[in-house]
Amino acid sequence: MSRHVAIVTDSTAYLPPRTMERHGITAVPLTVVLGDQALDEGTEISTRSLAQALQKRRPVTTSRPSPQLFAETYRKVAESGATGIVSLHLSAELSGTYDAAVLAAREAPVPVRVVDTGAVAMALGFCTLAAAEAAEAGGTVDEAVTAAEKRASGTSAYFYVDTLDYLRRGGRIGAAQALLGSALAVKPLLQLDGGRIELLEKVRTASRAIARLEEIAADRAGSAQVDIAVHHLAAPERASALADRLRARVPGLADLYVSEVGAVIGAHTGPGLLGVVVSPR
């Protein structure tokens, strides 16, 4: 067995499967509860099924992985030869996933550093990649954590939703509560700030909101070398067009990912989501 620092994340990182396989990253799934069915994100529920359920207003909730599932994951990773584990997860402000990982880490057979990245989706994914690359270069657990935290500090995530209703139902909108009521008619632009979902701007139409999302992302990228991810839910044409425009506008673009979010994030944002993550290298 090779001795190495292993990287664990959760299913909300939305890293491409080939990328995870290439870097040896393990993802622990969150759970989506659809009616009376509890399904693992990424393997047991498709985003199409989720979007259809949301459009039909079927009850959809999400839950964290159990500490037992994390403990089993850490045990298997240790048995594969890991001498230490860095476990990176979505914002503790949005989920109890971090807390479950911390509980499991106490009983793990090798040292585990659990990191609240304050991020989600590819904002979490880019942090995870940074940790994996540091580990592959022979870095220690501490060095992999430092690489992830440095990447997290420079990464920004912005997104557009057709309606705040799904975020309101899930209690995930923080200071954006001020938009509720009469202001639900506007098209909000949101951002991740301090691990929470916060209002960034209010825009009157969808087309203006998406144009503004593009402008904000391009301004944030500037001329630096950056990786960008464009996320969507049930809006592939919008996402592809936005990605093409950003490719033309961002001179320092390195890698560009376009992907549909999974069921956990989708359950709280609803169909029509467009998100952009900008992560300087």
Side-chain angles (χ1 to χ4, degrees):
M1 293 188 299
S2 64
R3 312 301 289 174
H4 61 282
V5 172
I7 306 300
V8 173
T9 188
D10 60 66
S11 59
T12 68
Y14 302 139
L15 285 162
R18 288 185 180 179
T19 301
M20 293 183 60
E21 184 177 353
R22 184 166 69 248
H23 292 284
I25 298 166
T26 301
V28 177
L30 275 73
T31 300
V32 179
V33 182
L34 188 61
D36 59 357
Q37 285 186 295
L39 306 167
D40 285 346
E41 182 177 39
T43 57
E44 295 182 336
I45 180 170
S46 68
T47 48
R48 177 177 294 181
S49 298
L50 171 78
Q52 290 173 344
L54 291 172
Q55 287 162 348
K56 293 176 182 177
R57 301 189 72 83
R58 291 180 61 191
V60 181
T61 58
T62 61
S63 65
R64 71 178 192 177
S66 68
Q68 292 76 17
L69 181 56
F70 272 113
E72 180 67 11
T73 300
Y74 296 152
R75 183 187 63 78
K76 289 180 179 178
V77 169
E79 289 176 352
S80 75
T83 55
I85 298 169
V86 178
S87 196
L88 303 120
H89 301 292
L90 80 160
S91 171
E93 295 279 351
L94 302 176
S95 168
T97 300
Y98 168 81
D99 293 331
V102 168
L103 287 172
R106 295 171 183 167
E107 308 299 327
V110 297
V112 179
R113 284 279 302 278
V114 183
V115 180
D116 172 10
T117 64
V120 72
M122 275 298 293
L124 168 58
F126 288 131
C127 297
T128 303
L129 282 176
E133 289 165 358
E136 288 166 3
T140 64
V141 165
D142 286 346
E143 288 168 338
V145 169
T146 297
E149 291 177 339
K150 182 178 180 181
R151 193 72 184 259
S153 69
T155 297
S156 302
Y158 311 101
F159 54 102
Y160 158 83
V161 291
D162 276 335
T163 173
L164 283 172
D165 191 41
Y166 300 103
L167 285 163
R168 177 186 60 79
R169 284 188 239 165
R172 296 304 200 279
I173 53 173
Q177 291 274 5
L179 271 181
L180 293 179
S182 61
L184 278 172
V186 307
K187 297 299 183 181
L189 291 177
L190 307 170
Q191 65 178 336
L192 270 176
D193 183 13
R196 295 181 298 274
I197 296 169
E198 304 285 7
L199 172 67
L200 181 61
E201 293 182 9
K202 294 180 286 186
V203 186
R204 287 295 175 188
T205 67
S207 60
R208 289 180 181 176
I210 293 168
R212 182 65 182 134
L213 180 66
E214 174 190 339
E215 183 179 351
I216 290 167
D219 287 348
R220 175 67 185 86
S223 59
Q225 187 179 37
V226 298
D227 296 324
I228 289 178
V230 176
H231 290 302
H232 72 93
L233 180 64
E237 295 85 4
R238 274 181 175 178
S240 179
L242 177 57
D244 287 344
R245 294 194 299 272
L246 287 170
R247 192 178 285 112
R249 287 188 66 164
V250 178
L253 182 62
D255 290 331
L256 176 63
Y257 298 80
V258 181
S259 65
E260 193 162 30
V261 297
V264 166
I265 300 305
H268 295 292
T269 59
L273 163 76
L274 270 184
V276 182
V277 177
V278 180
S279 184
R281 289 199 169 187

